[in-house]
Amino acid sequence: MYLKKKKSLGKKENFAEIYQQFAPQVLRICMGYTSNTEQAKDFMQETFIKVWQHLDHFRGGSKISTGLYRIAVNTCLHYWRSPKNKTPESLQESFDTPDHEEYPEKEKNIRQLYQAIGQLKETDRLIISMVLEEIPYPEIAETLNMSEGNLRVKIHRIKQDLTKIFFYHESL
């Protein structure tokens, strides 16, 4: 979504549109950094506070989502790089299961996927989270300041790493 400031829309209306469209994706990206849903919501809230504070400075030259994802990533990374929070939690160790066990195998696979992603390096967790969100590769590359070719190589390596992690867990 390119944000074009419409004369009829003020800052609040533009922000409301951005929040409605991107809040679920930002929350899932933040979940890539913590297994605690409340903490992920805090990260998301901090992200949108920064968006609100800087919305007037957005020039509209690129997609709003690119800047938004970058703000979310930087917010999460800033938290984990703080000396008091050096070691991130393992991702989704206490994955919430639904009240009804309609698809227990699917839930087990999702839990294993999040646990495997939690074992990746910070940047790799971010990249695979964005891929799972179906964010286009050019947008991921722009968000992370890397070439699309380099991104594709990293994604291939991340998939190999995840495969190794899965086979290791299955052999236990």
Side-chain angles (χ1 to χ4, degrees):
M1 169 183 159
Y2 288 93
L3 180 66
K4 296 179 184 174
K5 288 201 174 188
K6 302 172 188 171
K7 291 187 181 192
S8 63
L9 290 182
K11 181 177 180 177
K12 288 181 181 178
E13 290 83 6
N14 281 330
F15 180 79
E17 285 181 10
I18 293 167
Y19 185 85
Q20 277 188 317
Q21 183 170 358
F22 295 105
Q25 291 170 322
V26 170
L27 179 60
R28 286 188 294 267
I29 288 171
C30 293
M31 284 296 295
Y33 286 90
T34 181
S35 63
N36 183 318
T37 304
E38 293 306 312
Q39 188 172 41
K41 287 179 182 178
D42 287 346
F43 290 159
M44 181 183 76
Q45 182 177 17
E46 286 181 46
T47 298
F48 281 104
I49 288 170
K50 291 174 185 174
V51 169
W52 172 261
Q53 291 170 337
H54 297 93
L55 190 59
D56 291 337
H57 302 290
F58 184 71
R59 293 185 289 279
S62 63
K63 286 185 171 184
I64 189 73
S65 56
T66 302
L68 185 60
Y69 299 145
R70 184 172 291 175
I71 292 169
V73 168
N74 288 339
T75 299
C76 295
L77 290 178
H78 176 74
Y79 177 83
W80 290 120
R81 288 180 178 159
S82 170
K84 64 181 179 182
N85 303 311
K86 248 340 186 191
T87 309
E89 304 170 36
S90 179
L91 181 66
Q92 292 293 328
E93 281 189 33
S94 60
F95 187 80
D96 297 330
T97 55
D99 292 336
H100 57 289
E101 294 283 331
E102 218 173 297
Y103 303 102
E105 189 63 30
K106 181 178 179 181
E107 293 301 322
K108 178 184 172 196
N109 291 339
I110 291 171
R111 187 172 36 256
Q112 288 175 333
L113 173 64
Y114 278 102
Q115 288 174 343
I117 290 172
Q119 295 178 36
L120 298 172
K121 294 181 279 185
E122 278 180 9
T123 306
D124 294 348
R125 281 197 313 263
L126 169 65
I127 291 170
I128 200 65
S129 294
M130 293 177 91
V131 168
L132 290 172
E133 281 301 311
E134 298 179 357
I135 297 170
Y137 285 9
E139 195 169 341
I140 296 172
E142 185 179 344
T143 301
L144 299 174
N145 273 342
M146 66 174 55
S147 71
E148 197 173 331
N150 188 19
L151 175 66
R152 290 180 185 278
V153 169
K154 288 190 84 51
I155 290 170
H156 177 73
R157 290 181 182 156
I158 292 167
K159 288 177 180 178
Q160 288 177 329
D161 290 344
L162 287 173
T163 301
K164 288 177 190 173
I165 292 169
F166 275 117
F167 282 124
Y168 173 76
H169 285 293
E170 285 182 8
S171 66
L172 292 179

